[in-house]
Amino acid sequence: MSDDVVVTRSLTKRFGHVTAVDGLDLAVHDGDRYGFLGPNGSGKTTTVRMLLGLVHATSGEVEMLGRAMPRHAHEVLPQVGALVEGPGAYGHLTGRANLRLLDAAGPAGGPPLADGAGSRRTRARRVDAVLERVGLADVGRRPVRAYSLGMRQRLGLAAALLRGPRLLVLDEPTNGLDPRGIAEVRDLLLELNAQGTTVFLSSHLLAEVQLFCTRVGVLHRGGLVAQDHLGALRGPTGRTLVRVDDVAAGARALGLPPPERRGEGELVLDGTSVAAAADTLVRAGIGVLEAAPERRTLEESVLRLTS
Amino acid sequence: MIRVELRKLVSRPRTWVSIGLLCLLPVVVAVFLAVTGIAPRPGQGPTLLAAVLGNGALYPAAALGIVLPFFLPIAVAVQAGEAVAGEASAGTLRYLLVRPVGRTRLLVAKLVSVLVYTLLAVLAVAVVGYVTGISLLGNSGQLTTTTLAGTTLTPASLAWRTGVMVLYIGWSMVGVAAVALFLSTVTDSSLAAALGGLAVLVSSSVLVALDAAGAVRDYLPTRYWLAWVDLFRDPVPWHDLQAGVLVQTGYVVVLLGAAWANFTTRDITS
């Protein structure tokens, strides 16, 4: 047992001869915004399905909210909201009717919600509240089959939020959303996270994870190749960036090739002999505005880990 | 969960369209019979139809005889095939299970929903058959009905026979539902599950008619489907009816057990 919200130990799943997930050890801390990264086919979705008890592990253990899964699914899952491989809804019903059915289908209990217990009496209010949160309050009586991809995605997110979960497990939640929708969803998730919801975000969109997540796990061919804070993953490259007021003159003074682009104001130095370089620049009468170690983008780190 | 499934059943237009279509065919047949007065010769055409011209009160039985060979099993197989596979292909199965709804619970709710649908369909056909029979073919002023054996039945006697008939046909359809429901837990395509169920029925009907298959005939699911005709004989020969209930019960128990074992252990990858 541990305090972590999601723990897997040597989690393995084989489909016939194909090993989809191989000895995975995940640890998602309480309050994390955890980015679960990996290229297509690396086993992300299979892992998410094993966490939720949809797919049975070949070997290894899953623990969520301190309890073994899938054995304690009935205590764990009411506190978990999930969006797995796209939303699912009955096309002939409205979004509101879909959420009411889903709400009625499961157990009444669950975590205490803002408006009281998750009982039948408060169902209509609960459904209206989540629709409002995801920006679907005004869709009216349209059936879901008339929804756009983005609206369906929002409805799926509303379903995940319906019971006020402690943990959100989201697989590509911004799929099909326009840039503004993506930003809105990110703000919503940040707000929920600030209120104490742990977010486990599975994605192959590196930019999205870099903007949102605090910790990152990188999956490659079914195994975890890195799991660390975002800052640690984006390690220094060993080079230094120096911003100066006159790049051309600065490059000349340091004996570097002249910069290819004008206006950037940045020089790239090999090694970290910043002091000597700054000294040379200052003596040449060039103003040094800033000097900092160069960091990898998440994309560079992940590509390096998964190539 | 059962309540949720029933709400889904009644809120789906397809439920009512299919039941409406089931009822429509006997009405059309009755109109033709009433207008022309030409009855099929005894032993030809749908069961019992020859007897209804004289007495509309027998028409519920004839109506079920009309839809029983194809229409009714198709409707039931589509409904049961849709049960789990339909949720899978709509993408809603994973969200129901994560909600969480226990797999056994979900399967039981689906089964109840299919049973209710089956009973609704059989009852609707019987009721519509009665109304059409009385209004189009008339009750010929008699209070008694002639059986296939030539003796007469009182209305009370006819009523319980018709009731038992509805239950017997309903139970036969539960056998169909069990096949399709099992297949529905195997595949994620509701079409495949429904067609698989129908394939079983067609194969069974072919083998029942094949003398060379006589050794297995009595154990085939459709072998005793038409045994309810015996209810309109006097006295009722119960042997085939009992055998039919027994065979169907065997299929229902085995297939529902298999559906449960498969559904509760399989990986949900839809």
Side-chain angles (χ1 to χ4, degrees):
Chain A
M1 294 291 144
S2 75
D3 296 335
D4 288 345
V5 175
V6 180
V7 179
T8 70
R9 296 188 195 93
S10 314
L11 188 65
T12 300
K13 178 64 187 181
R14 276 188 283 275
F15 292 107
H17 294 296
V18 181
T19 304
V21 175
D22 193 4
L24 188 64
D25 294 302
L26 282 180
V28 178
H29 307 324
D30 197 10
D32 268 357
R33 299 196 297 269
Y34 189 97
F36 192 45
L37 276 170
N40 294 330
S42 57
K44 291 195 303 285
T45 298
T46 302
T47 304
V48 167
R49 283 176 182 270
M50 279 194 282
L51 294 183
L52 298 171
L54 292 171
V55 164
H56 301 286
T58 308
S59 64
E61 295 168 28
V62 176
E63 215 178 81
M64 289 222 292
L65 304 172
R67 318 227 48 182
M69 281 289 287
R71 200 174 332 131
H72 295 287
H74 267 268
E75 292 116 78
V76 173
L77 290 179
Q79 308 181 58
V80 177
L83 185 60
V84 190
E85 269 194 304
Y90 306 107
H92 64 287
L93 298 175
T94 63
R96 187 169 271 110
N98 264 289
L99 291 183
R100 285 189 183 165
L101 273 181
L102 185 67
D103 193 74
L113 300 165
D115 58 351
S119 75
R120 197 185 306 174
R121 263 181 304 113
T122 54
R123 178 170 301 145
R125 231 187 314 148
R126 197 159 52 237
V127 167
D128 288 348
V130 288
L131 284 173
E132 172 92 49
R133 273 206 117 151
V134 300
L136 283 179
D138 309 319
V139 290
R141 306 191 50 77
R142 249 194 287 179
V144 171
R145 64 166 167 264
Y147 279 21
S148 69
L149 188 58
M151 289 166 76
R152 281 171 204 240
Q153 197 71 23
R154 283 166 193 262
L155 183 62
L157 202 59
L161 300 179
L162 192 52
R163 308 294 298 190
R166 268 180 67 193
L167 167 66
L168 274 171
V169 178
L170 306 172
D171 192 7
E172 313 283 357
T174 55
N175 207 2
L177 293 177
D178 54 25
R180 185 169 155 189
I182 292 176
E184 281 173 15
V185 166
R186 191 188 311 131
D187 288 345
L188 172 59
L189 294 179
L190 283 171
E191 188 190 323
L192 290 166
N193 181 251
Q195 292 163 6
T197 309
T198 306
V199 181
F200 180 93
L201 179 91
S202 161
S203 181
H204 61 260
L205 300 176
L206 296 160
E208 193 180 305
V209 169
Q210 185 169 345
L211 273 172
F212 176 72
C213 293
T214 51
R215 286 181 76 238
V216 175
V218 182
L219 195 65
H220 183 52
R221 295 198 185 128
L224 208 56
V225 288
Q227 179 171 251
D228 213 330
H229 288 280
L230 185 66
L233 259 184
R234 296 185 55 200
T237 57
R239 295 190 295 187
T240 307
L241 296 179
V242 182
R243 240 159 41 86
V244 292
D245 53 6
D246 184 343
V247 186
R252 246 191 333 271
L254 291 171
L256 296 170
E260 286 165 19
R261 281 176 296 167
R262 303 192 65 97
E264 285 286 308
E266 254 177 17
L267 292 169
V268 182
L269 303 182
D270 284 327
T272 46
S273 54
V274 189
D279 197 37
T280 312
L281 288 169
V282 170
R283 263 191 281 146
I286 296 159
V288 176
L289 306 173
E290 192 182 354
E294 185 189 47
R295 282 186 175 277
R296 287 188 190 90
T297 64
L298 187 59
E299 180 171 331
E300 286 164 345
S301 301
V302 169
L303 288 180
R304 202 166 51 95
L305 287 164
T306 59
S307 57
Chain B
M1 189 60 212
I2 288 175
R3 207 173 349 193
V4 171
E5 282 306 320
L6 291 180
R7 210 180 309 160
K8 276 190 223 161
L9 177 71
V10 297
S11 74
R12 181 167 294 175
R14 181 199 299 166
T15 307
W16 304 110
V17 172
S18 64
I19 290 181
L21 286 174
L22 273 175
C23 296
L24 188 65
L25 180 62
V27 173
V28 170
V29 171
V31 168
F32 274 109
L33 287 179
V35 170
T36 63
I38 304 172
R41 268 165 292 163
Q44 284 190 356
T47 326
L48 276 186
L49 213 50
V52 298
L53 262 193
N55 194 331
L58 210 50
Y59 199 64
L64 279 168
I66 290 167
V67 296
L68 184 58
F70 296 110
F71 238 9
L72 194 56
I74 288 175
V76 169
V78 166
Q79 195 72 21
E82 162 95 11
V84 177
E87 299 276 1
S89 54
T92 44
L93 181 59
R94 55 180 182 268
Y95 292 109
L96 281 175
L97 295 180
V98 167
R99 169 62 185 84
V101 180
R103 295 190 187 192
T104 306
R105 202 184 171 83
L106 180 62
L107 199 62
V108 168
K110 288 293 182 190
L111 179 65
V112 170
S113 162
V114 171
L115 290 181
V116 167
Y117 173 82
T118 307
L119 203 64
L120 265 181
V122 175
L123 270 180
V125 171
V127 168
V128 169
Y130 183 76
V131 173
T132 353
I134 295 296
S135 54
L136 286 178
L137 303 168
N139 209 359
S140 41
Q142 304 170 353
L143 281 176
T144 56
T145 304
T146 310
T147 66
L148 297 175
T151 59
T152 55
L153 293 178
T154 62
S157 172
L158 182 64
W160 77 253
R161 283 160 203 257
T162 307
V164 173
M165 172 198 72
V166 165
L167 290 179
Y168 184 81
I169 291 178
W171 190 237
S172 302
M173 289 304 111
V174 173
V176 179
V179 179
L181 191 61
F182 166 65
L183 292 174
S184 188
T185 67
V186 175
T187 169
D188 285 344
S189 153
S190 38
L191 192 63
L195 286 179
L198 290 174
V200 169
L201 298 183
V202 171
S203 315
S204 167
S205 307
V206 169
L207 291 179
V208 164
L210 186 72
D211 284 338
V216 295
R217 175 187 295 167
D218 286 353
Y219 306 102
L220 293 171
T222 60
R223 165 67 178 86
Y224 295 106
W225 266 21
L226 292 177
W228 56 271
V229 177
D230 288 349
L231 286 165
F232 299 92
R233 299 182 207 282
D234 201 28
V236 178
W238 287 103
H239 173 267
D240 277 11
L241 287 161
Q242 284 166 354
V245 169
L246 219 60
V247 168
Q248 291 302 332
T249 306
Y251 279 103
V252 167
V253 168
V254 169
L255 286 164
L256 290 184
W260 176 80
N262 180 47
F263 186 56
T264 51
T265 55
R266 74 176 261 221
D267 289 336
I268 307 296
T269 51
S270 65

